[in-house]
Amino acid sequence: MNRKSLILVVGGSGFIGKSIIKNLNNNSLATKNISRKECNLLDSHQTTKYFRSFREKTLDVIFVASITRAKEDSFSSMQKNIIMIKNFIDASQNLKLNSLIFISSVDVYDNKENTQLAEGSFLFPSNPYAISKICSEEMLKSAFKENILTILRLPGAYGPNDQFQSIVGGFINSINRKEFITLTNQGRQLRDYVFVNDIGDIILELIKKPQEGIFNLSTGSSLELISIINLISKFLDKEPIIEESYEKSKEYNLRVSNKKIAKVFTNFSFTSMELGIKKYIQEINSNEKK
């Protein structure tokens, strides 16, 4: 790794981006957060002008910027996500890159059969957000053939400072506020979410040792939603209020293989959801005491 390189975090003001920057800075690496205030990626002229200022530097780029499903999942948001990638590609063709890391999603997979999802699993993006991610992946692969491009597909992240917007954070908030949690199928659906610190730790490893290709970024071990709620209940020492919904809905399990990335970083261990939830709640309790 070129220690004199600058790490650009495109979309570093969001939940995941902030965590990545904090981790890199804690390891004495120079970072630059590119937020909407610095550069509106939907404006092609502004994007080109902005990235021109980095042409004399050697860079690692982490692209996190996106309109997520939690904010909006529409044809319009899909278009905007794709436009941001297009403008970034156009603006960065003359940059000196050590590596480019793109944060994608496991939503790009076909999960109808409830099988474990691996990097070679069939793709079938079934919502606008997923379509924007697979389009972005293909655009980046085409544009950066000569560069080290890493695509990380996440199943969802949680942790301190997620503003209770994650699934795990939402459950914590509901139990704390004594609000009803509505579940279908008695909450037996399997889910796999990543503790946010793990994302920053893996990206730190990728900055040190760039890897080309697509990698799932998951714990590799799924829990039922009801088990996640029970863990939260245990660490909060509060009982959840659960109501069963009998509305018909498409039930699916989420099981994601992390074997590929585990083979590359053999000494890295993902945080289990049990430990991640415990750390999340400890952070909440610590902040409340301040």
Side-chain angles (χ1 to χ4, degrees), residues 92-129:
S92 61
Q93 288 304 295
N94 294 320
L95 297 181
K96 302 174 186 176
L97 297 181
N98 280 326
S99 65
L100 169 60
I101 301 170
F102 176 66
I103 304 298
S104 188
S105 169
V106 299
D107 283 2
V108 301
Y109 293 117
D110 181 6
N111 196 27
K112 294 177 183 177
E113 303 301 323
N114 285 324
T115 57
Q116 189 176 45
L117 302 173
E119 288 80 359
S121 295
F122 186 70
L123 302 179
F124 188 80
S126 58
N127 54 68
Y129 175 72

Side-chain angles (χ1 to χ4, degrees), residues 9-12 17 34-36 41 62-68 81 84-85 102-103 133 136:
V9 183
V10 185
I34 301 177
S35 67
R36 191 181 303 173
L41 292 170
I62 304 164
F63 198 101
V64 194
S66 180
I67 301 172
T68 64
N81 282 337
M84 283 192 284
I85 288 293
F102 176 66
I103 304 298
K133 286 299 182 184
S136 297

Side-chain angles (χ1 to χ4, degrees), residues 2-54:
N2 181 357
R3 291 288 178 178
K4 294 182 179 180
S5 66
L6 175 64
I7 304 171
L8 302 184
V9 183
V10 185
S13 295
F15 165 54
I16 294 176
K18 284 181 178 178
S19 179
I20 291 170
I21 289 175
K22 181 179 179 181
N23 191 33
L24 295 175
N25 289 345
N26 286 344
N27 283 274
S28 303
L29 297 176
T31 63
K32 171 65 178 174
N33 170 25
I34 301 177
S35 67
R36 191 181 303 173
K37 290 181 180 180
E38 282 77 32
C39 177
N40 179 8
L41 292 170
L42 293 172
D43 185 325
S44 61
H45 297 293
Q46 184 183 136
T47 304
T48 298
K49 182 179 179 180
Y50 183 82
F51 278 92
R52 190 179 294 133
S53 63
F54 298 106

Side-chain angles (χ1 to χ4, degrees), residues 245-263:
S245 172
Y246 297 97
E247 292 184 8
K248 289 185 178 181
S249 62
K250 292 182 179 180
E251 302 294 349
Y252 69 96
N253 293 318
L254 184 60
R255 295 185 292 127
V256 185
S257 171
N258 67 2
K259 290 181 179 179
K260 184 177 177 181
I261 202 162
K263 286 182 180 179

Side-chain angles (χ1 to χ4, degrees), residues 92 98 148 180 198 222 236 241 252 276:
S92 61
N98 280 326
I148 297 177
F180 281 98
D198 286 354
S222 299
L236 284 176
I241 306 173
Y252 69 96

Side-chain angles (χ1 to χ4, degrees), residues 116 191-193 218-223 254 256 258 273:
Q116 189 176 45
R191 296 292 184 267
D192 187 356
Y193 303 119
S218 71
T219 69
S221 179
S222 299
L223 289 179
L254 184 60
V256 185
N258 67 2
M273 276 198 276

